Amino acid sequence: MSAALTRVRAAYDRIDRIDRPEIWIDLRPRAEVEAEAESADPALPLAGRLLAVKGNIDVAGLPTTAGCPSYAYRPERDAPVVAALRAAGAVVIGTTNLDQFATGLVGTRSPHGAVRNAVDPARVSGGSSSGSAVAVALGVADLALGTDTAGSGRVPAAFNGIFGLKPTRGLVPVEGVVPACASLDCVTVFARTLPEAEQALSHMITRPVEAPRRAPGPWRVAVPDPAGLGELDEGWAEAFTGAAARLEEAGALLRPVDPAPFIEAAAMLYDGAFVAERYAAVGQFLDKETPDLDPTVAGIIRRARDIPAHRLFADREKLAALRARALASLGDADALLLPTAPGHPTLAAVAADPLGANARLGRFTNSTNLFGLAAVAAPAGTVNGLPFGVMLIGPAHTDDRLTRMAALLTPPARVAVVGAHLTGLPLNPQLLALGARHARTTETAPHYRLYALATGPAAEPAKPGLVRVAEGGAAIETEVWELPTEGLGALVAALPRPMAIGSVELADGSRVPGFLCEPSALDGAVDITSYGGWRAHLGAGAPLDARG
C-alpha cells in the first residue's frame, strides 16, 4: 500500500472519529480520493499530502458555493492555486465551510453551521477560512487553502494553533476565487508546520519575488507596548511580551513602535467606504433575497450599496496618510510584531454581539491588505489552555524574511515517550534526527497501564502501549523531549498504527503530547504495568529486538 493511500485512509478514519461535519461543504467520496492517491506519482514534491480548499475557491468537479448553496456554480477547471498544488502531488479531499462570501472573522456565519474551534468546541474557530483551518488543526488535511481580505487567513490560524501565510498581494493568482474585495483579496495557505506551509506557497507563486534591500545586521522587529494595543483578553499581553522576548533571545533587535495608524486604518475596512467593494462583488445576488443568506453577512453587504462615491475618494486619501505614518513609524524595521487578535470569543459571545465581536477580532489584521503588506501568522504558545498566536507583518515581497523570523518565534514542541524512543533504546535515533533534546525524566500521573504489544514483524524493535484507564492505573516512567514543531509533525506523520499521539498527563498534573496506543492493539498484549516502565521491563530480561 502506498504512503499516499495510507494517508487518505487515516484521514477518512479520523473524519469519522472526530464527528465535525460542519468543517465541510463538499467532502469527496472516500473511494474516489483513494483511487486518486493510489495512482499518484510518489516522486512529486507534495505526493500524499491531503489538501482542503476553502469553499470560495474553484475545484473542478465540486460546486463553488462561497458558503451560500443558492449561489453555487460548477467550475470547469481548478483555480490556478488548486491546479498548482495538484500538479505538485497534493490530493484534494474536499471544500470547506466559511463565513458566507468570506465576510467575517468568526467562522459562524454559514448555513452549514458554525465551525467549532479545534481545541475548545465552545469557542469560535475564526473566519472566514474556518473549515480550512480546523481541518488542518485536527489532522485531517495536511495543507489547506484560505483567503484573506481582513485577516481570514490569519485569525483562524491563531485560534487553532497552526501557521497561516498571507503572501504579498499579486504573488499568488486569485483567478477562480469568488471575490470579497477584489482589490484586497489574497489566497493563503494553512499548515501545522512552517516548512510545510512554505513548501506549498512556493508552488502557488506565479511571479518572481524581488525582496527590497535591507541594511545588514540582525533582524529588526518593531514591537508595540501592550498598553497601546487596546483591551486584550486575560493573559494575552503577557503572552505577547513572551513572544517578543523569544525573538530577542534569538538575536533580533526590538524597537518600540506606535501601533495607532495600523489600528486606525483597520477600522476603515468595514466602517469606511471600502466595504462597498463587497457589494460590487456579490451585491446583486444578495438583492434576490434567497432564504439561505446569512442575515449578518447580508446586512453588511447590502448597507454598502448606498455608500456615495465621494466617500471612497475621501477614505482613500485618509488611508494614504495613515499608511505613510505607519511605514514611517516602522523605519528600517524588517517586521512589525502584533498579536493576531485581541482575544478569543466563545460561540455564545459572538451570537450575542455578532458585529461587535467580529469588529474586535480585526483590530490588528484589517489594515494589512489596505497597506499592501505581507504577513505570517504563527503559534506562540497557549493562554489558559487555548492557542495564542502572533503575526509578523512586513513590506511587500518580504514573505521569505517573515517566515524566517517566524521560525524564531515558535516554542519547541514537547513529546512524552515511554517505550522504544527512550534514551539509548532502538528508536531514540529517530528523535535525535529530528533535532530533539532530552528535557527531563519523570512519570505519568497514576492513571495508566503499560502493555508489551504483540504487533509488527519480529525484526522490529519491541514496542509498549500506554493506555489511560479509569481505575487501577499506575505511574509509568516517562521522558519528555523537546523538538522543533516541524519535527513533531514529521514524527506524527510517520507514526504507524496502532501507535497514536495523544495527551499524556504527567506526575505534576501538566499534559504533554505523547505516545499512546489504540485499544484494539491490546489483543494478545502482556500487561507489564507492575514494572513501572518499559526500561525496567527490558531489564528484567525482555529482548530489545523482539516483541515484548
Side-chain angles (χ1 to χ4, degrees):
M1 184 187 304
S2 69
L5 181 57
T6 299
R7 177 68 184 99
V8 169
R9 290 180 175 176
Y12 276 87
D13 288 346
R14 182 147 180 77
I15 288 170
D16 292 340
R17 290 198 303 272
I18 63 176
D19 190 27
R20 291 292 192 94
E22 80 274 11
I23 292 175
W24 307 99
I25 293 177
D26 283 286
L27 184 65
R28 294 178 65 197
R30 177 172 182 156
E32 181 180 301
V33 178
E34 286 184 356
E36 186 175 323
E38 196 165 21
S39 63
D41 182 353
L44 292 173
L46 297 181
R49 304 289 181 85
L50 296 188
L51 173 66
V53 181
K54 187 175 180 178
N56 63 339
I57 303 174
D58 288 351
V59 176
L62 297 178
T64 303
T65 72
C68 182
S70 61
Y71 178 84
Y73 63 89
R74 283 193 172 268
E76 295 181 357
R77 60 183 64 87
D78 290 332
V81 287
V82 175
L85 294 177
R86 276 182 152 169
V91 177
V92 174
I93 192 169
T95 56
T96 56
N97 200 359
L98 67 152
D99 280 325
Q100 194 172 76
F101 295 113
T103 302
L105 290 173
V106 287
T108 65
R109 301 170 173 178
S110 170
H112 300 282
V115 181
R116 296 167 288 165
N117 181 259
V119 177
D120 181 357
R123 297 193 181 252
V124 301
S125 57
S128 61
S129 310
S130 50
S132 286
V134 175
V136 169
L138 290 177
V140 175
D142 303 299
L143 304 166
L145 294 179
T147 61
D148 190 311
T149 304
S152 299
R154 291 167 282 159
V155 171
F159 287 174
N160 294 283
I162 59 176
F163 290 90
L165 304 189
K166 190 218 77 67
T168 299
R169 192 178 184 281
L171 290 183
V172 173
V174 292
E175 288 86 0
V177 178
V178 178
C181 291
S183 67
L184 301 175
D185 298 339
C186 296
V187 176
T188 63
V189 63
F190 297 110
R192 289 185 294 277
T193 72
L194 194 54
E196 286 179 297
E198 289 182 275
Q199 184 184 29
L201 184 61
S202 71
H203 293 285
M204 297 159 57
I205 292 173
T206 58
R207 53 185 286 188
V209 180
E210 296 184 8
R213 293 184 179 181
R214 68 179 296 271
W219 298 120
R220 294 172 287 272
V221 181
V223 181
D225 187 313
L229 295 175
E231 182 186 3
L232 304 176
D233 276 8
E234 180 183 357
W236 282 43
E238 294 79 5
F240 176 68
T241 300
R246 284 196 295 278
L247 282 177
E248 189 169 36
E249 290 167 2
L253 298 177
L254 305 188
R255 297 182 175 176
V257 67
D258 180 4
F262 294 90
I263 295 174
E264 189 175 345
M268 296 179 66
L269 188 60
Y270 279 100
D271 294 343
F274 298 108
V275 71
E277 195 169 16
R278 292 185 183 267
Y279 185 82
V282 294
Q284 289 186 343
F285 173 80
L286 266 67
D287 288 342
K288 297 177 183 178
E289 298 281 359
T290 60
D292 54 358
L293 291 176
D294 180 87
T296 302
V297 171
I300 291 169
I301 296 177
R302 285 176 182 148
R303 282 192 296 272
R305 173 180 50 199
D306 301 322
I307 296 174
H310 68 81
R311 186 176 173 193
L312 176 60
F313 284 95
D315 280 358
R316 287 173 63 181
E317 185 175 344
K318 179 181 178 181
L319 180 66
L322 285 171
R323 184 179 188 275
R325 280 178 53 200
L327 297 186
S329 70
L330 294 180
D332 67 348
D334 297 296
L336 167 67
L337 181 72
L338 287 171
T340 307
H344 191 169
T346 62
L347 292 166
V350 170
D353 183 15
L355 292 177
N358 190 91
R360 182 177 186 241
L361 294 185
R363 183 188 303 166
F364 306 128
T365 56
N366 283 1
S367 62
T368 306
N369 285 331
L370 287 172
F371 285 167
L373 307 177
V376 173
T382 61
V383 177
N384 298 323
L386 292 172
F388 172 77
V390 296
M391 294 182 297
L392 283 162
I393 299 172
H397 305 294
T398 61
D399 306 74
D400 180 62
R401 294 178 191 170
L402 295 177
T403 56
R404 288 162 64 190
M405 285 182 269
L408 304 177
L409 271 169
T410 310
R414 294 186 298 163
V415 63
V417 302
V418 298
H421 286 87
L422 291 166
T423 301
L425 296 190
L427 296 185
N428 185 251
Q430 289 183 358
L431 288 177
L432 298 175
L434 294 171
R437 70 171 189 88
H438 178 241
R440 60 187 172 118
T441 299
T442 181
E443 293 180 331
T444 68
H447 308 312
Y448 296 88
R449 299 202 70 79
L450 190 69
Y451 295 84
L453 301 180
T455 59
E460 284 190 358
K463 295 187 181 85
L466 185 69
V467 179
R468 188 178 176 98
V469 293
E471 56 184 27
I476 303 298
E477 181 195 13
T478 304
E479 288 182 355
V480 177
W481 286 71
E482 293 183 347
L483 70 166
T485 303
E486 57 268 26
L488 181 59
L491 191 67
V492 172
L495 199 63
R497 297 185 69 180
M499 309 310 295
I501 295 289
S503 179
V504 175
E505 184 180 358
L506 302 180
D508 62 3
S510 63
R511 290 183 175 273
V512 176
F515 286 86
L516 299 170
C517 81
E518 298 175 359
S520 60
L522 301 185
D523 292 342
V526 178
D527 190 329
I528 57 170
T529 307
S530 60
Y531 289 96
W534 182 243
R535 199 188 305 275
H537 166 66
L538 295 175
L544 283 171
D545 59 352
R547 292 187 291 250

